[in-house]
Amino acid sequence: AQQVPSWLVVVCHGFEAFKSNPERDFAFLAAALRSAANGHVQVLHCTANTGAWATWDGVDVGGARIADEIEAVVQKYPPDAHVPFSIVGHSLGGLYARVAVGLLYQRGYFDIRLQPISYVSLESPHLGVRRPSQTSFAVKCIDVWARHAIFGRTITQLYLNDGDVNATVEANLPFLVQLGLPGSKWVTALQLFKDRLLVSNISWSPQVPYASAALSPFFPYDRQTILKSSPDAGLILEHSGFSDACVQSMFQGKPACALHGLWTQQNHLACASQQSLLKVSAQTEAAVGVAQPLQLFPDPQYTGFVCDSQQEFAFPPELMRNLQQIGWRRLEVGIDSIFGHCAMIGKTPVVGGCTPIVPGTKLGVQLMQHVAAILHHDLTTFLLTPTEVKETVPPSD
């Protein structure tokens, strides 16, 4: 049997990451994890989806491969080992991770072999990537191609074109909607993690809309103010929850930022009140003094979809509600770069065999160090003792 690690951290890359070495993608995060844990950690760089076209055949298929890869590693441990387990996914990898943990839970690994500690998604499209009908011609063209499955099954699922969002039979729903159904193995597995962290980019992202990564229908920032106050994209914000009580302590990142100027009054109102997803409550509206409440309007082209407050993204409101109810913490970064999606993990894209200096990469490295610190803090906070582990294992029949 393989020596049991003190901590297992699994990292999952995103779409088409086979073009680069998966260990290179998460090199900064892995280094920060080893430093935080004094080397007492096994970092598993998943390679199950690194073959040619491996990320094109579906979120469910890719996630199952990740689950099999993790299972093969855990099977090498002694049968009585109960290993602390954290999982991190970047972009599409965050969805793969959700599928994988659901399957591991179904196979019984969370009962005795693995102790779920932290789940982290780094700008992952939890609600898909569908843009609203009121958008640019180029985006509309991409949407038409995706609806005809030209880009493969994964993209069809990310556009929620693989089913009917209004279906009453679970099997007929899009897979991402199934992935968020209350009581499903996917959601139950996520709820077993002591900490669930969403990392998103508050600058406009061509790959993943903010609302999809942050699970928030409202954008609570003034982008122009943020960009002016942080021209080098040196901004990390940390907050949790949606309640009005937590808004005042929302900005705890480095560097420290003042609430005023970054948080618009109307969006503060919308984010503070989650009594209704589609309309701010009348009580909160009267208290703050806003004349007209914010609303999310139905997308006229797609039945069952609404648009976020910025009109940048279309999503089924029920999916948003279901995922919000799981409970999350949020860590947000401002990387104002077309390569911000890659820069978030400190990765630079390969262009013509070269790796150019990308704006935001330095901040991405700092972000990975921050995420590693959060993961290690979760480990030391929630780790069960051997006696507690035995108490949590259900008795055998």
Side-chain angles (χ1 to χ4, degrees):
Q2 180 178 314
Q3 183 178 0
V4 181
S6 300
W7 183 23
L8 173 63
V9 180
V10 175
V11 292
C12 310
H13 63 73
F15 192 69
E16 282 198 332
F18 63 85
K19 293 181 179 178
S20 60
N21 187 324
E23 292 194 13
R24 170 184 170 271
D25 287 359
F26 287 100
F28 295 107
L29 177 62
L33 286 169
R34 294 189 181 101
S35 175
N38 294 320
H40 299 295
V41 58
Q42 178 182 358
V43 181
L44 173 61
H45 298 266
C46 287
T47 59
N49 295 318
T50 54
W53 308 102
T55 56
W56 292 66
D57 56 2
V59 176
D60 51 342
V61 176
R65 283 193 290 261
I66 296 292
D68 292 342
E69 185 172 0
I70 298 172
E71 183 176 17
V73 170
V74 175
Q75 286 290 349
K76 297 178 182 178
Y77 302 154
D80 59 345
H82 193 71
V83 181
F85 170 61
S86 301
I87 189 165
V88 180
H90 174 237
S91 191
L92 179 61
L95 296 180
Y96 283 154
R98 285 174 56 197
V99 174
V101 299
L103 293 175
L104 291 171
Y105 164 76
Q106 185 181 47
R107 298 171 189 177
Y109 280 89
F110 289 173
D111 290 336
I112 192 169
R113 305 298 297 272
L114 294 172
Q115 181 190 341
I117 300 292
S118 308
Y119 166 88
V120 178
S121 74
L122 304 167
E123 201 171 29
S124 297
H126 294 285
L127 305 174
V129 296
R130 184 192 290 268
R131 300 289 179 172
S133 55
Q134 307 93 332
T135 188
S136 67
F137 177 75
V139 173
K140 285 183 178 179
C141 289
I142 294 175
D143 185 60
V144 170
W145 291 337
R147 281 190 278 120
H148 289 83
I150 291 177
F151 291 118
R153 188 164 174 266
T154 297
I155 299 298
T156 303
Q157 290 179 338
L158 291 177
Y159 272 79
L160 282 73
N161 289 325
D162 58 320
D164 180 3
V165 296
N166 300 308
T168 56
V169 179
E170 180 179 338
N172 296 334
L173 291 168
F175 181 69
L176 292 192
V177 176
Q178 296 181 39
L179 203 58
L181 289 176
S184 65
K185 60 178 175 284
W186 323 109
V187 170
T188 302
L190 268 181
Q191 291 173 327
L192 292 176
F193 284 86
K194 306 300 183 182
D195 189 15
R196 294 168 297 276
L197 180 67
L198 299 170
V199 182
S200 54
N201 189 359
I202 60 180
S203 181
W204 186 85
S205 171
Q207 293 92 349
V208 179
Y210 170 85
S212 190
L215 294 180
S216 173
F218 301 102
F219 185 77
Y221 305 100
D222 181 341
R223 279 200 181 111
Q224 294 303 316
T225 302
I226 289 174
L227 297 179
K228 288 179 182 178
S229 62
S230 182
D232 297 323
L235 186 67
I236 297 177
L237 307 171
E238 184 174 358
H239 64 86
S240 61
F242 288 103
S243 67
D244 191 42
C246 76
V247 171
Q248 297 302 324
S249 60
M250 228 170 235
F251 295 95
Q252 300 170 358
K254 299 177 181 179
C257 301
L259 178 65
H260 301 291
L262 296 181
W263 195 269
T264 64
Q265 184 186 38
Q266 281 197 330
N267 283 324
H268 167 109
L269 167 67
C271 205
S273 173
Q274 290 295 302
Q275 296 183 27
S276 169
L277 177 69
L278 300 182
K279 185 175 180 179
V280 176
S281 69
Q283 293 85 350
T284 308
E285 172 193 343
V288 179
V290 177
Q292 296 295 327
L294 290 178
Q295 296 187 35
L296 298 182
F297 297 98
D299 189 311
Q301 185 172 337
Y302 308 109
T303 303
F305 287 81
V306 296
C307 301
D308 68 314
S309 62
Q310 298 292 100
Q311 298 286 296
E312 295 175 348
F313 177 57
F315 61 92
E318 192 64 27
L319 177 58
M320 174 78 80
R321 289 190 190 96
N322 289 342
L323 291 179
Q324 283 184 343
Q325 289 172 2
I326 297 173
W328 305 86
R329 286 202 302 152
R330 287 168 176 78
L331 183 65
E332 302 185 334
V333 60
I335 303 180
D336 187 30
S337 166
I338 193 173
F339 297 115
H341 193 60
C342 293
M344 174 175 284
I345 58 175
K347 170 185 173 183
T348 55
V350 178
V351 180
C354 302
T355 52
I357 298 176
V358 174
T361 301
K362 183 178 180 180
L363 180 63
V365 174
Q366 296 174 359
L367 178 64
M368 290 301 94
Q369 294 169 344
H370 193 52
V371 169
I374 291 174
L375 289 169
H376 187 255
H377 173 75
D378 289 344
L379 174 71
T380 57
T381 301
F382 299 114
L383 181 62
L384 297 178
T385 66
T387 302
E388 290 172 325
V389 168
K390 291 179 181 180
E391 292 175 350
T392 62
V393 177
S396 57
D397 296 329

